[in-house]
Amino acid sequence: MHSTLIVARMAEHAATDVADLFRAFDDTEMPHRMGTRRRELFAYRGLYFHLQDFDSANGGERIEDAKTDPRFVRISDDLKPYVEAYDPATWRSPADAMARRFYHWSAR
């Protein structure tokens, strides 16, 4: 399994709206198309954390393939009033907002 963590800024009051948007998105076949096995959203003091687990390390490639799907475009647009880039000066795509894992442990 492969995980990604996107870090952004989110208005404190927006968690319910953002969760509703993803709930509707995840009720489609889009997560399966992208290879998403699990999605978790977190908020902390104006920050937004979007954790996704994928079947394999090619999740990024599958997301790239899905980016032109109207449902992907729609959720990206629908999130704009609630979620903004952590650093707008350097953001060009979600890849620019991904945290870098520097340690991992799991039970054997």
Side-chain angles (χ1 to χ4, degrees):
M1 188 173 310
H2 176 74
S3 300
T4 62
L5 178 64
I6 294 173
V7 180
R9 298 189 187 279
M10 181 178 75
E12 297 279 341
H13 67 278
T16 300
D17 293 319
V18 171
D20 289 344
L21 289 170
F22 275 106
R23 188 172 295 107
F25 182 78
D26 290 338
D27 281 343
T28 71
E29 72 275 357
M30 287 302 293
H32 304 288
R33 179 176 177 192
M34 298 182 312
T36 302
R37 301 289 290 164
R38 182 177 69 148
R39 179 188 324 280
E40 294 188 57
L41 304 176
F42 300 86
Y44 178 74
R45 296 186 180 190
L47 295 177
Y48 160 91
F49 302 91
H50 181 160
L51 176 65
Q52 281 187 98
D53 292 331
F54 298 92
D55 288 326
S56 64
N58 72 345
E61 294 170 23
R62 291 178 73 175
I63 288 175
E64 284 298 317
D65 292 342
K67 278 174 122 175
T68 57
D69 187 292
R71 293 164 294 192
F72 191 97
V73 172
R74 185 175 333 121
I75 194 167
S76 297
D77 289 342
D78 290 347
L79 288 169
K80 286 179 183 176
Y82 308 109
V83 178
E84 63 183 63
Y86 180 82
D87 182 1
T90 62
W91 193 89
R92 291 171 308 286
S93 76
D96 296 320
M98 287 197 189
R100 178 183 56 84
R101 180 184 301 184
F102 61 93
Y103 176 79
H104 174 77
W105 177 90
S106 62
R108 293 179 193 215

